[in-house]
Amino acid sequence: MKKCLIADGRLLMYCGLAIALAGATLFAQTRPQPGTKLPLDQVSAQMFHVSAGKRLKPAAWPNGARVAVGLSFDVDNASANLATGDLISESISRGEYGAVDGLPRILRLLDKHQLSASFFVPAVSHLLHPQMIPSILASGRHEIGVHGWIHEHLPSVGDAAAEQDMLNRAIETLTKAIGRKPVGYRAPSWQFSQFTMGQVKAAGFLYDSSLMASDDAYEILLDGQPTGVIELPIERIVDDFPYFGGATNGGMPNPDEVERVFQSEFDVAYEEGGLFILTMHPHITGHRSRVAGLEKLIAHMKSRPGVWFATHEQIARYLKSGAGS
């Protein structure tokens, strides 16, 4: 270690890498592995507590469309920072950007192209910026869905009653804001606790959009039993967050590279006659260069015949009607 401190820059880098690798190796050696001691029936119960049931892929989308496109925006703003007590001004102000500039810019883009989208809103985001939901609903094209109370991390809550209380308050808050009960749910950070799916089912949601078991929609099973809840799957590959950095700090500074990934995912969905769900965040994608990149993707999708742009609710209701095979 002493040699590392006095060595030149290259040796410092190599030494730091060696220390990091040694730490990773130690972590791998000491990582708890409770699953190795469980009988298969318990492993199976864990694997399939929440799982994919009947796949819902229609022979055709409405009006003979070849692919369904669901543009979605998680309007987190600074709610996740507030939930964890991260009150650093950089984090809070970057979150606030979503309400101040990001969301309005995205809505202008959607208006320009006359597209529908789904907006998943933590209740606290709405309460802190009450102008957002009226602006989203003004066009009459968009949908509001539930995205937690304060973007809480559900596996860390560890209390069924506390989790239920936050879900109830989120539903009540958004119902009051939009004038009807939301039909869609997306878990904060896309992560369920052991209680979440049961509570989502009991709340009567039409669909969830938090899971990743397929490219296409499917019915969610809870402990092997059909729930009647439709899953509209998401994926980190088609989410702005991993590419642009968790703090929106330019982890992938060239938006064209990100849109190229999204475009490829869309193109394959188009060829397969499937479903393309894209997740974005106003405080991330709402920046100027990134909205410009999103518009290029929209132009590409609109250039293909037979593309159905719809809210998640519209997609789920179409599948629920029996259109899914």
Side-chain angles (χ1 to χ4, degrees), residues 13 30 59 65 218 226 243 276 293:
M13 180 180 69
T30 59
Y218 57 87
Y243 300 105
F276 178 70

Side-chain angles (χ1 to χ4, degrees), residues 23-85:
T25 301
L26 179 62
F27 175 74
Q29 291 173 344
T30 59
R31 182 185 301 174
Q33 300 186 66
T36 62
K37 300 178 176 63
L38 297 179
L40 183 58
D41 61 340
Q42 292 186 37
V43 174
S44 179
Q46 292 175 343
M47 174 69 198
F48 299 113
H49 172 55
V50 176
S51 61
K54 179 183 178 183
R55 196 172 185 185
L56 303 172
K57 185 175 183 180
W61 294 101
N63 300 315
R66 184 174 180 86
V67 66
V69 172
L71 301 177
S72 66
F73 297 88
D74 292 357
V75 191
D76 301 342
N77 298 341
S79 59
N81 304 99
L82 295 168
T84 60

Side-chain angles (χ1 to χ4, degrees), residues 49-128:
H49 172 55
V50 176
S51 61
K54 179 183 178 183
R55 196 172 185 185
L56 303 172
K57 185 175 183 180
W61 294 101
N63 300 315
R66 184 174 180 86
V67 66
V69 172
L71 301 177
S72 66
F73 297 88
D74 292 357
V75 191
D76 301 342
N77 298 341
S79 59
N81 304 99
L82 295 168
T84 60
D86 174 11
L87 305 182
I88 297 172
S89 59
E90 180 182 12
S91 302
I92 296 296
S93 62
R94 273 181 162 162
E96 188 178 16
Y97 182 92
V100 174
D101 275 350
L103 179 62
R105 182 172 288 120
I106 286 166
L107 291 174
R108 291 195 299 271
L109 176 66
L110 296 174
D111 284 343
K112 177 180 177 180
H113 291 274
Q114 292 293 290
L115 297 180
S116 301
S118 298
F119 292 80
F120 296 93
V121 185
V124 167
S125 285
H126 157 65
L127 294 170
L128 294 177

Side-chain angles (χ1 to χ4, degrees), residues 294-324:
L294 175 58
E295 184 163 25
K296 292 177 184 177
L297 174 65
I298 288 171
H300 172 76
M301 293 190 290
K302 291 181 72 175
S303 73
R304 306 292 292 272
V307 178
W308 181 41
F309 291 92
T311 66
H312 286 34
E313 178 178 358
Q314 290 168 331
I315 294 169
R317 290 201 185 280
Y318 181 72
L319 296 172
K320 193 80 167 181
S321 72

Side-chain angles (χ1 to χ4, degrees), residues 18 35 37 55 63 84 97 109-110 123 145 148 153 156 177 201 215 218-219 222 228 236 241 251 262 274:
K37 300 178 176 63
R55 196 172 185 185
N63 300 315
T84 60
Y97 182 92
L109 176 66
L110 296 174
H153 183 246
S156 300
K201 178 179 182 295
D215 293 312
Y218 57 87
E219 182 178 9
L222 179 60
R236 300 291 179 191
F241 196 87
F262 294 166

